[in-house]
Amino acid sequence: MKPILALVLTAFLPCATIAAGASAEEATTTDTTGWIQPEYKGDLSDFLWHKRPVVVFADSPEDPRFHDQMERLAKRAADLLDRDVVVLTDTDPSARSDLRKKLRPRGFMLVLVGKDGGVKLRKPHPWTVRELTRTIDKFPSRLREVEERRGS
């Protein structure tokens, strides 16, 4: 792992800890461990019907767009965790990972995958968490989740 990527990822830990410590009830319903998985080697089917993967691709961990995107995601981690988002990164095009084979990024790319495994959004530039959460909140599955939480 590159030193800069390690530095960026350690910057996320305080945000996750703050989100986890918000309240005892929230801590039991929100899992803050492992919400960012750098250089993920698995398959998207690992998250099917459980999580909404946001995959961040870059040709290098030093890409300024990659750093910008990761900082934006870290600032509002609680909003993403509330929507069952897991962030996967891939900054090594030479590794030819399963994620790259399936999603075929060119340079920097942000990909939002739904719980059903379908690609819902592709963006060639960083997006804010607000833009992501607004998109997620329009999904039928998310609308059902909100209704179920209100009913219980």
Side-chain angles (χ1 to χ4, degrees):
M1 181 182 287
K2 301 277 185 179
I4 293 178
L5 182 59
L7 179 65
V8 170
L9 293 177
T10 56
F12 298 118
L13 294 177
C15 295
T17 306
I18 291 167
S23 72
E25 180 182 329
E26 209 173 43
T28 59
T29 60
T30 305
D31 179 19
T32 59
T33 58
W35 77 279
I36 295 178
Q37 299 188 13
E39 304 303 323
Y40 184 72
K41 302 291 184 212
D43 189 53
L44 287 176
S45 63
D46 297 344
F47 303 103
L48 202 58
W49 303 116
H50 297 288
K51 297 284 184 184
R52 292 182 179 91
V54 169
V55 187
V56 183
F57 291 103
D59 288 342
S60 165
E62 287 83 25
D63 185 334
R65 295 172 295 181
F66 176 74
H67 287 282
D68 183 29
Q69 183 64 70
M70 298 308 289
E71 288 172 10
R72 289 178 184 198
L73 295 174
K75 284 180 185 175
R76 299 204 30 212
D79 293 337
L80 295 172
L81 291 168
D82 184 48
R83 288 161 179 84
D84 298 328
V85 168
V86 62
V87 177
L88 312 176
T89 66
D90 185 335
T91 58
D92 185 10
S94 63
R96 304 280 303 143
S97 68
D98 288 339
L99 289 175
R100 282 190 181 271
K101 289 176 186 173
K102 180 174 182 174
L103 300 174
R104 299 181 179 267
R106 285 183 252 152
F108 177 87
M109 183 180 285
L110 173 91
V111 181
L112 172 61
V113 180
K115 284 188 174 182
D116 62 356
V119 174
K120 306 299 182 189
L121 176 77
R122 290 177 182 266
K123 291 294 171 183
H125 51 82
W127 253 36
T128 65
V129 171
R130 183 176 181 194
E131 292 168 318
L132 278 170
T133 56
R134 283 184 170 195
T135 300
I136 291 169
D137 288 346
K138 294 176 186 174
F139 295 167
S141 60
R142 175 65 181 158
L143 295 172
R144 274 193 303 275
E145 290 169 8
V146 171
E147 285 301 317
E148 287 173 3
R149 288 181 186 170
R150 285 183 187 158
S152 58

